[in-house]
Amino acid sequence: MFPLLLLVHIAGSIAAPAPKCALDNIDIKGGEYREVKGEDFMRVVYKCPEGLYAHPSNSRDCLYNGKWSNDKVKAECRAVECPRPVMFDNGVYYPRQKKYFIGDVLHFECWGGFEMFGPGNRTCQANGKWSGEVTKCDDKEGDCPNPGVPIGSTKVGTSYKIEGTVKYECQSGLRMFGSKERTCMENKRWSGAEPSCRFPFTFDTPTEVAEIFSSSLSETIEASDPDKLDKQSDRKIQVKKDGLMNIFIIIDSSKSVGPDNFKTAKEASIVFIEKMASFDFIPRYAVISYASYAKPIVRLSDDDSTDADAVIERIRKFSYREHDDKMGTNTRGALIEVHGMLSLQNTNEPQKFLETRNVILLMTDGKHNMGGDPVVEMKKIRELLDIRKNNNREDFLDVYVFGLGEDISENEINDIASKKDPEKHVFKMESVDHMKEAFDEMLDEAEVLQMCGLSKDPSKGEEGVQEVYPWIAKITITRPGSEEKCKGSIVSRFFILTAAHCFHLDDSPQAVNVRVGDKALKVKNLHRHSKYNPAGKQDKKVEKSFDYDLALIELENKIEYSRKVRPICLPCTSATTWALKKRGQAVTCNDHKNTVLDSELVKAMFVAEETQNKFERMNVTIKRGDKRNACLEDTKKIEKFKDIPDITDAITENFLCTGGVQPYVDPQTCKGDSGGPLIVQYKQRYVQVGVISWGTINTCIGPKRKPEPVPALSRDFHTDLFHMLDWLEGNEHLAQELQFLK
Ligand SMILES: *[C@@H]1O[C@H](CO)[C@@H](O)[C@H](O)[C@H]1NC(C)=O
Ligand SMILES: *[C@@H]1O[C@H](CO)[C@@H](O)[C@H](O)[C@H]1NC(C)=O
């Protein structure tokens, strides 16, 4: 026995050499092919021009008998078709054709007495799907609405009374996603998910998936957003902010995946986790890789399973080679792991377990070939979560399945995935690259507008657009014969934070014009810091004191947040606790400070507008501790400040210092930048730590910086918000909006 075991082990760990197949006759009519070779496999992948698909399959694998898979038929590119309608309830459709190709339009009309729901026209799209939703004609006589007949299907059953059922079948050659059978439930909705019928060559595009997946996910995740409370949400229970959610990510690492695709699947998982991390909640992660056996990369019970960074790090480190047996696809094995981790959680924290939502993300490029039927295990997981008919616990499990490539079994992935009306949980995508693309696009920040310090990622191309710096406010003060420009930041729905020195004592709210995005806002009131007093230190030879250079502009009307207009995070507020991924009640203002100002040299930024309406990021370094002393010393060497006996009268404790050339050359702030935010980026979130106040040497030409480096002695000073909290909290209206930490 012993030697045999050893032998098996060795045999399993040595990769078989790649099989060899001849390339004669492998080409595709009307398209191109390329070879993909691995250590132990050989494949050709076909590519057809837009609007065509590769028949009979878009790749062929070299088999160990020296033959290509699917080699009975010569490969050719064929025109993409959309399914043909065979049945339509209570109305007519035209034109009637045997086949419908890209660009063909179907028109629908309802009979008298029936109202149309859905589009009157649908167009055949490039991926072989009809545009828009299923068109339905309804007389509203049933308890449930007419569930419709998706194009390509037939429906049996016409009772739309409670308990009534309808059954669907796809026409031959088409594959079904969604529910084969649906029942009209007591809540007058249909059970399950609307079916769809599609050709095997039809893949979901990244854009389609991004949209559908993220809207379904954000239904699940959506933290209590006051803006959305009045909106009708189909899913009633919301995740509490302290994130009672488990997220399982299951990655296929079987042999057919190949190292490159495995890497992309890992990257896609990381993108997904990063996107989740921008939400105001903290889920617990489990990551499982599977081939013949399942291997947990991160377990639910691991100490760091709520730490997105640690989870990402472990995914990065996990190598494709860690599966020594990649021959099998044991999907059930992966789900058994999920079940095991959930059972353990149930044992340890039974009460919390039942309140915790679960999201399973399963990626696969094939069908199971060992370990038994995964659907059986999914049933057990549902039992464990106590999900039964009519006990309203469906919300506690969402299973999303991503079938990648054409070797998947549509039936299998459809059976595993959740079926919830009106969402979709099963996707078939051309490749893992497309899935990653979809994750990149999804969970648009627009879904979570009330969250502070979020913005469009500038690496997505459009540096300079308003969406990248959506919290910047432009302020113009009009006085007889002159105009002054400042910047500010949106800190709440009713307040803009800026510098006190932008205003004169006699400026009226009407003289102040505030613009955010492309909207002008009406000003109700100006609040300058009560201790701001520019002439207050003249006895100490400080000609103009900027101490407490801070002001709040109170707005007449609430700001409507949008992608272009949203708030930045202010230190020591509860929203920022979330942005900084701090947990629990005990988080203090000091914790915030230690997180964002974590060293003597802190990377920070401000936003400049050297060309009108084109914002640019300016990286600067905040000097603290010993490094800040150099700011005082260098300032003393400048002519205008030489006569000040004690420089700390000008540069009080209330200022953050940037500028100069050590250790990096910092761009200078110029006139017009005043009042704008000094920002520290923390992961994907932006926290304002200062307000741009004054500088020691001005070499700007108006609002523009000179191309050459700043003088070595020059420094910029910013009102330190960590020192201004008393005054900010003292504004009752603002405190109400922001919930400052105790
Ligand atoms: C459908 O298309 C027809 C002809 O192209 C057009 O006249 C009609 O307005 C469209 N109907 C709808 C509901 O879009
Ligand atoms: C500023 O810093 C960020 C983050 O470190 C970096 O991605 C960006 O390229 C920098 N921008 C400039 C203009 O140096």
Side-chain angles (χ1 to χ4, degrees):
M1 227 25 215
F2 187 60
L4 181 66
L5 259 177
L6 201 64
L7 195 68
V8 168
H9 186 77
I10 292 168
S13 62
I14 296 173
K20 286 204 173 64
C21 292
L23 287 171
D24 326 329
N25 217 18
I26 195 72
D27 61 309
I28 182 164
K29 206 172 139 196
E32 293 164 12
Y33 73 92
R34 70 190 160 88
E35 279 179 71
V36 185
K37 275 190 189 156
E39 251 169 60
D40 56 355
F41 74 97
M42 180 178 181
R43 183 182 292 167
V44 292
V45 177
Y46 293 121
K47 190 165 163 49
C48 290
E50 169 101 9
L52 304 179
Y53 69 96
H55 176 85
S57 64
N58 66 7
S59 67
R60 287 181 193 214
D61 282 324
C62 178
L63 307 175
Y64 282 98
N65 61 9
K67 287 191 169 172
W68 291 101
S69 58
N70 289 319
D71 71 344
K72 304 259 175 338
V73 195
K74 169 88 185 157
E76 65 171 333
C77 292
R78 291 190 175 175
V80 167
E81 281 176 59
C82 283
R84 184 170 68 90
V86 273
M87 192 176 161
F88 183 62
D89 271 352
N90 312 322
V92 292
Y93 64 89
Y94 55 92
R96 293 186 177 233
Q97 293 166 199
K98 262 209 174 109
K99 292 185 171 205
Y100 295 85
F101 294 102
I102 298 172
D104 285 351
V105 178
L106 267 176
H107 304 277
F108 298 88
E109 278 168 25
C110 293
W111 292 331
F114 290 87
E115 190 184 335
M116 185 181 289
F117 294 85
N121 297 327
R122 300 180 71 185
T123 308
C124 178
Q125 304 179 111
N127 62 350
K129 288 195 210 171
W130 290 99
S131 65
E133 295 170 2
V134 176
T135 308
K136 298 159 187 172
C137 300
D138 197 5
D139 58 4
K140 299 191 167 171
E141 293 286 306
D143 292 323
C144 283
N146 178 359
V149 191
I151 294 182
S153 74
T154 52
K155 175 174 72 79
V156 179
T158 46
S159 164
Y160 307 153
K161 298 277 176 222
I162 286 165
E163 301 275 298
T165 59
V166 290
K167 289 183 184 173
Y168 292 94
E169 249 177 70
C170 287
Q171 290 235 274
S172 82
L174 302 178
R175 311 283 162 80
M176 184 183 286
F177 281 163
S179 303
K180 269 207 270 302
E181 188 172 329
R182 307 184 77 186
T183 306
C184 176
M185 301 185 296
E186 303 231 316
N187 64 2
K188 304 195 172 170
R189 305 177 62 119
W190 291 99
S191 65
E194 184 173 87
S196 66
C197 299
R198 45 157 87 186
F199 283 106
F201 56 76
T202 288
F203 293 101
D204 297 304
T205 64
T207 307
E208 284 170 341
V209 173
E211 211 166 279
I212 296 166
F213 182 44
S214 67
S215 79
S216 173
L217 255 184
S218 44
E219 285 279 318
T220 314
I221 292 159
E222 191 164 289
S224 38
D225 175 354
D227 282 356
K228 289 194 177 165
L229 285 183
D230 44 350
K231 268 199 215 159
Q232 276 264 309
S233 172
D234 291 324
R235 302 249 213 123
K236 299 264 163 22
I237 316 163
Q238 296 186 323
V239 174
K240 294 191 200 102
K241 272 197 166 183
D242 59 350
L244 293 173
M245 185 188 276
N246 298 324
I247 298 180
F248 296 89
I249 298 175
I250 305 178
I251 308 173
D252 187 343
S253 359
S254 58
K255 179 170 156 277
S256 54
V257 172
D260 289 349
N261 286 340
F262 182 73
K263 190 162 159 263
T264 311
K266 288 203 313 184
E267 285 165 7
S269 312
I270 291 169
V271 170
F272 175 77
I273 294 171
E274 281 171 347
K275 295 269 172 172
M276 302 307 280
S278 58
F279 279 99
D280 280 351
F281 85 119
I282 302 173
R284 199 169 269 291
Y285 289 99
V287 185
I288 299 162
S289 152
Y290 74 104
S292 298
Y293 300 95
K295 261 185 188 262
I297 302 175
V298 178
R299 288 175 196 275
L300 221 48
S301 55
D302 289 346
D303 285 341
D304 55 0
S305 67
T306 54
D307 178 347
D309 291 333
V311 173
I312 286 173
E313 197 46 40
R314 281 159 73 183
I315 296 177
R316 278 220 172 92
K317 283 203 182 118
F318 189 87
S319 117
Y320 185 56
R321 291 176 177 275
E322 288 185 46
H323 283 273
D324 37 8
D325 181 353
K326 295 197 194 60
M327 294 307 287
T329 300
N330 184 355
T331 314
R332 184 174 180 188
L335 294 176
I336 288 175
E337 280 292 341
V338 172
H339 187 272
M341 293 183 195
L342 285 170
S343 300
L344 183 63
Q345 196 176 45
N346 187 21
T347 311
N348 293 341
E349 297 175 295
Q351 190 47 46
K352 222 167 159 187
F353 175 75
L354 279 179
E355 291 170 22
T356 303
R357 282 141 183 282
N358 294 278
V359 170
I360 300 178
L361 218 72
L362 177 80
M363 316 170 191
T364 179
D365 83 325
K367 35 188 167 280
H368 86 271
N369 56 17
M370 61 183 287
D373 186 354
V375 176
V376 173
E377 204 56 37
M378 199 49 88
K379 287 209 177 98
K380 289 191 178 169
I381 292 174
R382 290 171 62 88
E383 275 165 30
L384 183 61
L385 296 171
D386 192 32
I387 300 171
R388 285 174 277 128
K389 220 178 179 178
N390 298 328
N391 74 344
N392 282 327
R393 285 192 50 85
E394 281 291 345
D395 278 350
F396 287 84
L397 179 65
D398 281 278
V399 184
Y400 297 95
V401 184
F402 292 85
L404 306 171
E406 56 180 21
D407 293 334
I408 55 144
S409 151
E410 280 91 349
N411 271 340
E412 180 173 316
I413 62 173
N414 188 44
D415 287 348
I416 299 173
S418 296
K419 290 170 196 72
K420 299 183 183 186
D421 187 54
E423 296 164 39
K424 286 198 173 70
H425 284 73
V426 55
F427 307 101
K428 181 184 172 189
M429 305 192 75
E430 203 168 326
S431 66
V432 66
D433 301 86
H434 279 200
M435 183 182 70
K436 178 166 178 284
E437 222 175 286
F439 288 1
D440 272 326
E441 270 182 49
M442 70 166 202
L443 293 180
D444 194 286
E445 307 83 8
E447 300 282 336
V448 284
L449 296 174
Q450 90 292 352
M451 283 163 48
C452 68
L454 261 183
S455 72
K456 190 183 165 98
D457 183 350
S459 67
K460 295 281 146 59
E462 300 164 276
E463 168 76 29
V465 297
Q466 177 74 32
E467 283 93 328
V468 178
Y469 310 107
W471 44 76
I472 295 286
K474 295 168 65 165
I475 302 167
T476 312
I477 303 109
T478 314
R479 305 189 181 106
S482 74
E483 215 183 56
E484 173 151 355
K485 286 189 188 299
C486 272
K487 291 284 186 310
S489 55
I490 301 169
V491 294
S492 77
R493 292 210 181 252
F494 282 97
F495 287 95
I496 306 291
L497 188 65
T498 184
H501 83 256
C502 293
F503 308 105
H504 294 173
L505 271 175
D506 54 358
D507 284 338
S508 70
Q510 291 73 42
V512 180
N513 180 321
V514 178
R515 292 190 79 84
V516 297
D518 36 30
K519 283 210 186 75
L521 306 177
K522 254 182 111 174
V523 175
K524 184 175 176 189
N525 233 324
L526 302 175
H527 308 269
R528 265 169 297 242
H529 196 295
S530 47
K531 292 186 183 162
Y532 175 69
N533 180 8
K537 290 194 179 161
Q538 282 171 354
D539 57 334
K540 294 175 172 140
K541 302 241 165 125
V542 180
E543 190 190 330
K544 183 173 181 187
S545 166
F546 286 92
D547 211 8
Y548 301 99
D549 189 7
L550 193 66
L552 280 165
I553 300 177
E554 185 171 4
L555 302 168
E556 191 72 53
N557 305 306
K558 177 167 140 171
I559 300 178
E560 287 302 327
Y561 290 157
S562 69
R563 286 152 172 264
K564 292 185 178 178
V565 178
R566 56 167 59 154
I568 194 160
C569 295
L570 276 192
C572 308
T573 58
S574 71
T576 304
T577 296
W578 283 102
L580 298 177
K581 301 284 156 210
K582 301 279 172 207
R583 235 163 155 15
Q585 299 299 310
V587 177
T588 63
C589 193
N590 247 335
D591 294 332
H592 284 199
K593 187 168 180 173
N594 295 338
T595 308
V596 289
L597 300 179
D598 60 349
S599 59
E600 293 205 325
L601 293 169
V602 178
K603 287 206 162 74
M605 60 176 271
F606 67 92
V607 180
E609 187 192 7
E610 292 190 282
T611 323
Q612 251 222 323
N613 292 323
K614 194 165 176 319
F615 293 132
E616 264 175 84
R617 174 183 179 137
M618 295 285 164
N619 289 339
V620 291
T621 320
I622 302 174
K623 283 90 181 164
R624 303 177 64 242
D626 287 349
K627 298 282 191 298
R628 186 177 185 271
N629 293 340
C631 296
L632 306 187
E633 293 310 315
D634 282 352
T635 302
K636 280 199 268 184
K637 293 177 195 153
I638 298 170
E639 191 60 37
K640 321 195 251 198
F641 300 94
K642 268 192 176 137
D643 296 335
I644 302 175
D646 183 353
I647 196 68
T648 63
D649 284 324
I651 307 169
T652 66
E653 289 285 286
N654 296 326
F655 291 109
L656 293 168
C657 171
T658 66
V661 296
Q662 287 297 334
Y664 310 105
V665 178
D666 281 0
Q668 200 170 35
T669 60
C670 295
K671 216 170 156 42
D673 296 332
S674 279
L678 180 71
I679 301 164
V680 172
Q681 183 173 358
Y682 181 83
K683 312 243 158 85
Q684 322 256 37
R685 307 288 286 267
Y686 297 84
V687 181
Q688 178 170 5
V689 294
V691 171
I692 298 173
S693 180
W694 60 289
T696 57
I697 299 176
N698 180 14
T699 62
C700 303
I701 312 156
K704 274 198 200 296
R705 271 142 280 263
K706 280 191 186 162
E708 57 265 30
V710 296
L713 292 183
S714 107
R715 290 293 187 279
D716 291 316
F717 294 100
H718 316 273
T719 306
D720 183 347
L721 293 183
F722 283 100
H723 286 225
M724 299 291 136
L725 289 162
D726 284 349
W727 182 76
L728 290 170
E729 277 173 64
N731 185 311
E732 262 176 54
H733 188 179
L734 181 71
Q736 227 172 34
E737 284 194 89
L738 287 184
Q739 299 170 36
F740 287 93
L741 302 183
K742 294 277 163 279

